[in-house]
Amino acid sequence: MSKRAGKLSFIVCGGGMIGLSVALGLRQQGHQVQLIERGQQPELSSEFGARVSAIAHSSRALLQQLGVWQKLPAERLGPYTGMQVWEHDSFARIDFNAHEVTRTDLGAIVENQLLEHYLWQAAAEAGVTIHSGVTSVAEQISDDQVSITLSTKLGNKQQLSADYIIAADGANSQVRQRAQLPLTFWHYQQHAIVATVHTELPHQGIARQAFTPTGPIAWLPLADSQQISLVWSIDDPHSEHLLTLSAERFTQRLQSFSNNSLGQLTLASERHRFALKMQYCQRWLQQRLLVIGDAAHSIHPLAGQGANLGFADVSQLLDVFAEPREDYHRTLRQWERERKTAAMTMIAAMEGFKRGFAGDNPLLKLLRGSGLHIASRVAPLKQQLMQIALGG
Ligand SMILES: Cc1cc2nc3c(=O)[nH]c(=O)nc-3n(C[C@H](O)[C@H](O)[C@H](O)COP(=O)(O)OP(=O)(O)OC[C@H]3O[C@@H](n4cnc5c(N)ncnc54)[C@H](O)[C@@H]3O)c2cc1C
């Protein structure tokens, strides 16, 4: 890979959907890019993957620009045209429909593994040098260069250098930790139980969410009109118990929260459990190190916005490197400021939803019911809620 005049070199650490996107985008701009991933390219499977993401319009636009969205098999995409949000055991309810914002859909549910598979393929084809099965174990970062040490599974060491390193190595980012970037975090004291569920009635392309006293439950419509992806966020004392229930008892409990809108439910996959934590890195730029995606921020999945925030980090970062600049650092500082503000706003919104719907005090329930009732009738308020759903 030869370096053209005015072009830079990058090392991206982490080949999740965010690392792969930034690597591909930078390569398409003509920069030299190396990507380090401790795993391998995710395989394509004929079964729906249990981990999915609601991809907002803004993220889809980026993926289209990268030429990847067009490659995703249409029969695996679950576009959703409506959203229904309600509180269990209360009259609080709000419905959104794509036509209210003159769109054909509000977003699409995509399997993480599928998206990562196609991003990986596109990155390799575009000329990103991918080092898979290796881990970054040390970085030397200065004001004008970075060099990193890799370790292979056999314990061999290799040295790489570049103009910039981008940490996209997820919520437990080791690159961020080694750089000692300050981190704000708190545990949500909840886990998310994730599974694929077969529904008796068609889901009609509607993403459903119920707020219960122990946490929100989301039923996300998959491409198959009778399969949904479940994200059941539940307070810690209860989450382990849910996993020990038989499949039948588990779906009975689930059904009791579903307003019977999907008929009889049947588990169609294993149940997976994820600890939920809010994390916010206070510095996203330090000398030649940039931090993006879950390495920079991780939020509650209740509004399905974690990956969407990461895609927005990528999109704005690609704008910075799209053309040669006298002073990249100044523009990167601005990028950092804007992205931190966007992440903080989303974190605050998630916190508001989560706390606002916690507990089953009857007075609070009445307030929530009235609040949603008003929101569903006041166009600007509803538009604002829909804007969050669409990715800001
Ligand atoms: C239950 C649940 C539901 C969610 N639903 C949604 C949703 O609907 N919509 C949405 O937008 N977001 C959603 N999210 C959030 C979304 O999944 C994450 O924001 C997104 O996956 C983060 O991507 P990433 O590439 O930043 O990090 P990751 O996906 O964590 O990728 C990091 C990569 O780095 C690699 N790596 C780690 N350390 C090293 C190392 N030292 N060397 C080399 N490689 C390394 C890892 O192997 C991994 O491939 C959800 C999250 C959860 C938990």
Side-chain angles (χ1 to χ4, degrees):
M1 201 170 27
S2 63
K3 192 169 156 185
R4 285 194 270 134
K7 297 298 175 185
L8 299 161
S9 57
F10 294 85
I11 296 169
V12 178
C13 186
M17 53 181 110
I18 303 307
L20 285 164
S21 302
V22 80
L24 173 59
L26 289 167
R27 182 63 199 140
Q28 287 174 344
Q29 292 175 344
H31 301 295
Q32 273 189 11
V33 186
Q34 309 202 56
L35 182 134
I36 296 150
E37 167 55 45
R38 65 178 172 203
Q40 302 294 335
Q41 177 176 17
E43 287 181 9
L44 282 184
S45 153
S46 55
E47 309 248 306
F48 277 116
R51 291 228 37 201
V52 302
S53 298
I55 300 295
H57 282 250
S58 49
S59 306
R60 189 195 303 182
L62 170 70
L63 292 165
Q64 269 165 344
Q65 184 195 315
L66 295 175
V68 172
W69 188 263
Q70 301 82 321
K71 300 226 167 98
L72 301 176
E75 67 276 12
R76 297 288 280 262
L77 299 181
Y80 51 100
T81 52
M83 282 168 67
Q84 291 178 356
V85 182
W86 67 90
E87 182 175 28
H88 181 65
D89 260 353
S90 128
F91 67 96
R93 179 189 170 96
I94 191 163
D95 289 5
F96 303 100
N97 202 294
H99 67 70
E100 293 173 79
V101 276
T102 54
R103 309 262 189 153
T104 50
D105 61 53
L106 293 169
I109 308 298
V110 185
E111 298 153 69
N112 291 8
Q113 196 173 320
L114 186 84
L115 185 51
E116 287 162 3
H117 173 89
Y118 282 97
L119 276 166
W120 187 299
Q121 191 165 308
E125 283 168 8
V128 173
T129 306
I130 301 182
H131 304 267
S132 60
V134 300
T135 328
S136 149
V137 290
E139 298 80 27
Q140 294 81 45
I141 301 166
S142 70
D143 284 338
D144 51 13
Q145 224 221 355
V146 294
S147 69
I148 77 162
T149 309
L150 304 182
S151 171
T152 66
K153 283 212 171 100
L154 297 171
N156 298 328
K157 296 270 187 295
Q158 193 186 344
Q159 204 94 25
L160 304 176
S161 55
D163 295 314
Y164 286 94
I165 179 169
I166 301 178
D169 49 344
N172 298 321
S173 169
Q174 287 173 19
V175 177
R176 180 195 68 217
Q177 286 173 39
R178 282 193 290 267
Q180 299 187 333
L181 301 183
L183 191 71
T184 302
F185 68 93
W186 60 80
H187 293 272
Y188 286 118
Q189 315 287 357
Q190 284 187 338
H191 277 74
I193 313 281
V194 173
T196 309
V197 173
H198 179 83
T199 65
E200 183 192 5
L201 303 176
H203 52 59
Q204 300 176 308
I206 294 172
R208 296 170 170 83
Q209 176 135 288
F211 285 92
T212 82
T214 52
I217 307 176
W219 293 262
L220 306 173
L222 295 175
D224 181 326
S225 63
Q226 283 176 273
Q227 297 239 31
I228 57 101
S229 178
L230 168 73
V231 183
W232 189 338
S233 305
I234 185 160
D235 291 345
D236 273 345
H238 309 282
S239 68
E240 207 162 334
H241 174 62
L242 269 192
L243 284 184
T244 61
L245 290 179
S246 68
E248 205 178 28
R249 299 256 301 134
F250 178 83
T251 44
Q252 270 169 6
R253 289 241 357 233
L254 180 62
Q255 217 160 304
S256 68
F257 294 112
S258 74
N259 269 358
N260 269 333
S261 50
L262 295 164
Q264 184 83 29
L265 303 175
T266 322
L267 258 184
S269 77
E270 303 266 300
R271 284 162 274 181
H272 305 269
R273 195 167 81 122
F274 300 91
L276 300 180
K277 191 157 102 169
M278 193 297 295
Q279 267 186 191
Y280 175 74
C281 182
Q282 291 165 26
R283 209 172 302 141
W284 300 20
L285 168 66
Q286 180 158 279
Q287 294 174 299
R288 291 297 180 112
L289 165 65
L290 296 155
V291 189
I292 62 171
D294 270 24
H297 45 74
S298 72
I299 62 170
H300 198 287
L302 75 88
Q305 291 299 339
N308 289 311
L309 268 182
F311 284 123
D313 299 342
V314 172
S315 195
Q316 284 187 236
L317 197 55
L318 291 179
D319 289 344
V320 175
F321 291 111
E323 56 195 66
R325 290 177 195 276
E326 288 279 304
D327 186 352
Y328 280 102
H329 201 76
R330 201 159 56 93
T331 319
L332 285 169
R333 275 268 167 259
Q334 198 179 331
W335 165 83
E336 184 196 31
R337 267 196 304 276
E338 285 175 17
R339 293 311 309 148
K340 279 170 74 173
T341 305
M344 287 294 280
T345 307
M346 192 60 81
I347 287 165
M350 293 311 96
E351 211 45 32
F353 277 118
K354 193 180 162 286
R355 285 177 196 225
F357 280 93
D360 55 1
N361 177 316
L363 184 61
L364 286 178
K365 277 192 149 179
L366 181 69
L367 278 175
R368 293 192 286 254
S370 314
L372 282 190
H373 187 73
I374 293 167
S376 66
R377 272 156 188 77
V378 180
L381 214 57
K382 195 171 180 189
Q383 292 279 340
Q384 226 166 12
L385 288 173
M386 289 187 84
Q387 218 44 56
I388 294 181
L390 290 169

